[in-house]
Amino acid sequence: VYGRYNFKGTWWSPASTHLAFLRIDESAVDTLVVVDHLPQTLDVEELKYPKAGQGNPVATLWVARAEDGAKVPVDLSKYAGQEILINRVGWRPDGSEVLLMVQDREQTWLDLDVADPETGKLRTLFREKSRAWVNVLAMPRWLEDGSFLWESERTGYKHLYHYDAQGKLLGAVTSGEWQVRNILRLDEKRRFMIFTATKDGAVNDNAYIVDLDGKNLRRLTRDPGMHRISLNGDATLFLDNLSSLDKPGEQRLARVSDGEILKIIATATPPRACEIYGYSTPELVSIPARDGYPLDATIIKPHGFEAATAYPVWIETYSGPDAPSVRNRWNGSPWAQFLAQRGYIFFQVNVRTASGRGQCH
């Protein structure tokens, strides 16, 4: 819920006049005894750890005033009787209100709330809902006029929406049966956004540009593969570092206005070891599931492959949530090549849970 290795429980307001902090009450949580076997002489540790059917920690949010240390709790009474999670906290840019995201423990909904730092009075801007699962979302990206961009998977695909300061939806910035991955540049003066997305295949990573009103969407990067983009200061040019299954790498200088490639700066060649030891290039394929849904996969065939011959198959994949193992980028895995040289077909597939295509799949 709170991230891996980067959990924090305090958040200063922009002008450092107030400090929001989480208070975790573990009084209802049982104590678990753990033996630490790493030291030469075993250590016994006691820690609070809830097991199924037992009490969970209760989180509340408080705000302290820096001037005199006065503290007020954020009023969470509207959630009375529910087990809730407070999984994101932040501030409006002017520090007038503290922001918090509140979810039910099953994560079927998420509220974007704001609270007065002096009184703790709470109000909800809007609620995200899902029949399945609402992921922990990114904090709003604020614009100079007080409005903000909001990341949502409400359609089953991650897209960006424009809201006014009070939480009224102004419109969708992106939409369609594909997902936004990362915002690379947001230019308020020229009213455009540059971002990466899966619009042209989830195994690729392309860059796009769109007006903030959702119009004039166009692709900037060319050719299939994974594109790592670096923009210049005024977002008129970009460096494109391209890699694909059949191309170790190429760096290009391109123009933002139309994606035109102005110069090929460098082109990588396959390592000499590929020629010496016999590199087998991975093939990107699509495999239909039982219901016909196409799954992205790669196949590395043994040397001297013959279609009429039966080969053992090594399947290496990962089914974690939204964690695809098949990407259209250079793959110099010595392990995969070793198996191919030993007569195995090396096979990877992005199952539905790890497709990177959105919740609808």
Side-chain angles (χ1 to χ4, degrees), residues 249-325:
E250 188 170 272
Q251 186 178 71
R252 305 162 169 179
L253 176 65
R255 194 164 49 208
V256 168
S257 59
D258 56 6
E260 180 71 21
I261 299 173
L262 303 177
K263 184 177 182 180
I264 304 297
I265 297 175
T267 300
T269 56
R272 189 164 176 266
C274 291
E275 181 181 350
I276 295 174
Y277 299 108
Y279 180 78
S280 183
T281 303
E283 299 176 25
L284 185 62
V285 297
S286 179
I287 298 175
R290 279 190 289 265
D291 61 358
Y293 178 77
L295 302 175
D296 295 316
T298 53
I299 294 177
I300 298 177
K301 296 176 181 177
H303 293 272
F305 175 79
E306 295 180 359
T309 302
Y311 294 91
V313 177
W314 180 280
I315 299 178
E316 186 167 301
T317 190
Y318 179 66
S319 303
D322 204 26
S325 56

